[in-house]
Amino acid sequence: MIKGFKLILVALICFACKEEHKNQAKLNNDKPAFSFIDQFDGTQLNDANWNYDLGDGCPNLCGWGNNERQIYTKENVSVKDGNLIITATKDSTGYYSGKITTKDKIEFQYGTVEVSAKLPKGSGLWPAFWMLGNDIDTNTWPACGEIDILEYVGKAPHQIHTTLHTPDSYGKSVNTKITTIKDIEEGFHNYKTQWTKDSISFYIDNNLVYTFSPKIKNEKTWPFDKPFYIILNLAIGGNFGGPEVDDSIFPQEFIIDYVKVSGLN
């Protein structure tokens, strides 16, 4: 009887420990670990991860909301030699480029998000690696939130923009940092954000350049407690990248070695 009682007691204690761990996990808002990496092997974009945005944004968002000049096509996005290549081109009819997103495919809340990329050069170009809240269809911009991990405008060489857009600060956002790096156009560089429930920090080549953590967090200042998805694109002209475009620069390539996410699902 004593032996049996001990076995029952041990079982009860183990059960209680498991329940306590579950309750503590709920209190801590623990979620399963999530990881994603695309190293762009092969010869074509993996459509299990990525979507193409095509056209000029019309009729709902002509010029993609920024008076941009490019038409996005699949032909301007390629995978070659372990790289994703988004090419900006021009012909007698207009400008062309590429834009891809992970909307409805790779979406996540919090974590470390990074890209290794080589920038194009030339006035009028606007390459970017950024994220939008996955509720954008029903909670339109800027309420959905935007995290700009990398923005570069060719008319301002050597400068990298890292920015947060929120209902409290959008358009010419005050939640931004411009970092000047003399040789940023040369070779590949790493652009990264670490996103938690408390703050969003930005790094270039593992050097911290900006941290956003408003004292008051609400739907106007912090729309970042929900899943987001990734966007890679190379815009031409527009309110931020232009308005002038140097037609002598084309073609130009925005080359991505990898995209990596590690964090919570």
Side-chain angles (χ1 to χ4, degrees):
M1 287 293 293
I2 293 176
K3 184 177 181 180
F5 175 74
K6 287 182 177 179
L7 290 173
I8 292 171
L9 183 60
V10 170
L12 288 172
I13 291 171
C14 289
F15 176 77
C17 289
K18 288 180 180 178
E19 289 302 304
E20 176 64 22
H21 179 74
K22 289 180 181 178
N23 291 335
Q24 190 62 41
K26 289 178 181 178
L27 289 173
N28 293 337
N29 197 30
D30 287 348
K31 295 183 180 181
F34 171 78
S35 63
F36 163 72
I37 184 168
D38 197 332
Q39 296 177 301
F40 303 106
D41 298 321
T43 58
Q44 60 185 13
L45 194 67
N46 186 343
D47 60 12
N49 300 333
W50 300 98
N51 315 290
Y52 294 92
D53 268 356
L54 301 174
D56 59 4
C58 290
N60 298 324
L61 198 65
C62 291
W64 298 101
N66 295 293
N67 294 314
E68 298 162 27
R69 299 193 191 184
Q70 78 285 343
I71 296 173
Y72 287 130
T73 78
K74 287 186 178 182
E75 291 72 27
N76 287 70
V77 178
S78 60
V79 175
K80 182 180 179 181
D81 299 328
N83 293 319
L84 167 71
I85 304 171
I86 301 177
T87 305
T89 59
K90 182 188 181 301
D91 64 16
S92 59
T93 62
Y95 302 92
Y96 302 89
S97 190
K99 179 181 181 182
I100 60 173
T101 86
T102 65
K103 189 173 188 289
D104 299 323
K105 294 180 177 179
I106 304 295
E107 299 180 343
F108 51 92
Q109 181 174 334
Y110 312 135
T112 300
V113 188
E114 60 184 289
V115 67
S116 176
K118 185 177 187 297
L119 299 171
K121 301 177 185 178
S123 182
L125 298 182
W126 177 9
F129 176 62
W130 51 300
M131 301 195 296
L132 284 172
N134 72 341
D135 60 349
I136 188 171
D137 293 335
T138 56
N139 192 26
T140 54
W141 191 91
C144 64
E146 178 177 328
I147 304 172
D148 296 329
I149 303 169
L150 156 67
E151 287 186 294
Y152 171 86
V153 284
K155 66 183 180 183
H158 320 312
Q159 295 183 354
I160 300 298
H161 299 250
T162 48
T163 306
L164 287 306
H165 294 283
T166 71
D168 185 58
S169 175
Y170 61 95
K172 292 184 178 180
S173 177
V174 298
N175 305 319
T176 190
K177 174 68 181 295
I178 299 174
T179 304
T180 301
I181 300 174
K182 184 177 179 180
D183 61 350
I184 198 66
E185 292 88 357
E186 305 305 320
F188 286 85
H189 294 270
N190 179 273
Y191 306 90
K192 178 173 68 177
T193 190
Q194 290 182 340
W195 166 32
T196 74
K197 64 182 179 61
D198 298 312
S199 65
I200 301 175
S201 296
F202 298 90
Y203 300 79
I204 302 174
D205 293 331
N206 294 316
N207 295 310
L208 177 66
V209 296
Y210 179 53
T211 296
F212 176 67
S213 182
K215 292 181 179 179
I216 298 174
K217 291 183 172 65
N218 55 41
E219 63 182 10
K220 293 187 179 298
T221 64
W222 184 264
F224 301 116
D225 293 325
K226 60 188 172 188
F228 274 59
Y229 63 89
I230 295 169
I231 305 165
L232 277 161
N233 70 293
L234 174 51
I236 302 171
N239 299 338
F240 192 53
E244 294 83 10
V245 178
D246 180 358
D247 289 346
S248 70
I249 64 175
F250 297 98
Q252 282 288 322
E253 295 180 336
F254 182 27
I255 306 175
I256 295 91
D257 182 23
Y258 64 80
V259 171
K260 185 189 301 184
V261 180
S262 58
L264 300 179
N265 191 10

